[in-house]
Amino acid sequence: MQLVVARIGRAHGIKGEVTVEVRTDEPELRLGPGAVLATDPAGLGPLTIETGRVHSGRLLLRFEGVKDRTGAEALRNTLLIAEIDPEELPEGEDEYYDHQLMDLDVVTVDGTEVGRITEISHLPSQDLFIVERPDGSEVMIPFVEEIVVEIDLEEQKAVIAPPPGLIDDQAARDEVADGHSASSRDES
């Protein structure tokens, strides 16, 4: 199974190093020297990591055969893809690979069907589940423990405890209609 582990950013310096946007919780395992990674687009790879280091909070990589800034710039926006065993699990107890979460049914703690996870969006502050509802609309669910209270891979479901308005905006509309919106103010 293939797993996207990083996206190559801009060139750094003149000796072929590039910045990378890490997309794995295990960069030391997936992005270490000697790792051979497939690429998207495929014609640019495979790439073998020669060196890696952290500079100003960013991971910098140099690949075998890429010796100058021009070669590094040619790799910009390329996805780095690691081959993993589909049975392999992340090290942390509450960690999951995207492929494990895709297509899980999403239900509330009281059993109400919300939909099915169709995409996972990795944002700087948190990850989001993109959930397709039965009517075809989508809802975004923050993947935080206060909201996603259980992931049951055997039952193929994610159980959520959504705050008011997250999946049903009717409560928010009722609040506004009643004049009790948090953003309204009394003008005297």
Side-chain angles (χ1 to χ4, degrees):
M1 166 174 284
Q2 294 188 322
L3 178 70
V4 174
V5 293
R7 183 183 65 81
I8 297 175
R10 60 181 177 76
H12 180 83
I14 61 172
K15 296 182 179 180
E17 283 185 310
V18 295
T19 62
V20 293
E21 173 189 312
V22 176
R23 295 189 179 175
T24 176
D25 290 337
E26 304 166 320
E28 64 287 341
L29 177 66
R30 309 278 181 217
L31 300 171
V36 179
L37 302 168
T39 60
D40 182 7
L44 296 175
L47 294 173
T48 302
I49 297 174
E50 186 174 286
T51 64
R53 66 186 178 103
V54 176
H55 175 73
S56 298
R58 294 205 54 112
L59 180 60
L60 302 178
L61 297 179
R62 181 178 301 138
F63 299 100
E64 289 180 6
V66 179
K67 299 298 180 197
D68 59 20
R69 186 174 186 87
T70 303
E73 273 300 327
L75 297 174
R76 192 173 196 160
N77 293 321
T78 300
L79 296 177
L80 299 175
I81 303 166
E83 189 67 38
I84 64 161
D85 180 346
E87 301 302 314
E88 180 181 334
L89 298 175
E91 291 177 4
E93 184 180 318
D94 289 331
E95 294 178 2
Y96 304 92
Y97 291 130
D98 287 3
H99 72 272
Q100 294 175 293
L101 301 172
M102 291 297 292
D103 293 323
L104 290 184
D105 292 324
V106 179
V107 297
T108 62
V109 289
D110 67 5
T112 303
E113 179 186 4
V114 176
R116 181 179 55 83
I117 298 172
T118 57
E119 184 181 337
I120 296 152
S121 181
H122 300 281
L123 304 176
S125 59
Q126 67 191 18
D127 295 337
L128 289 175
F129 291 159
I130 310 301
V131 177
E132 183 177 317
R133 301 182 79 156
D135 66 6
S137 65
E138 290 184 337
V139 63
M140 293 183 276
I141 309 289
F143 188 25
V144 294
E145 63 183 16
E146 295 83 17
I147 296 173
V148 181
V149 295
E150 180 185 1
I151 298 290
D152 187 336
L153 296 177
E154 285 185 25
E155 293 290 323
Q156 287 290 290
K157 70 178 179 180
V159 180
I160 63 170
L166 181 66
I167 60 170
D168 182 11
D169 60 350
Q170 184 62 45
R173 274 184 270 157
D174 291 346
E175 246 183 47
V176 171
D178 292 342
H180 297 293
S181 172
S183 62
S184 67
R185 70 175 189 200
D186 220 8
E187 301 218 10
S188 312

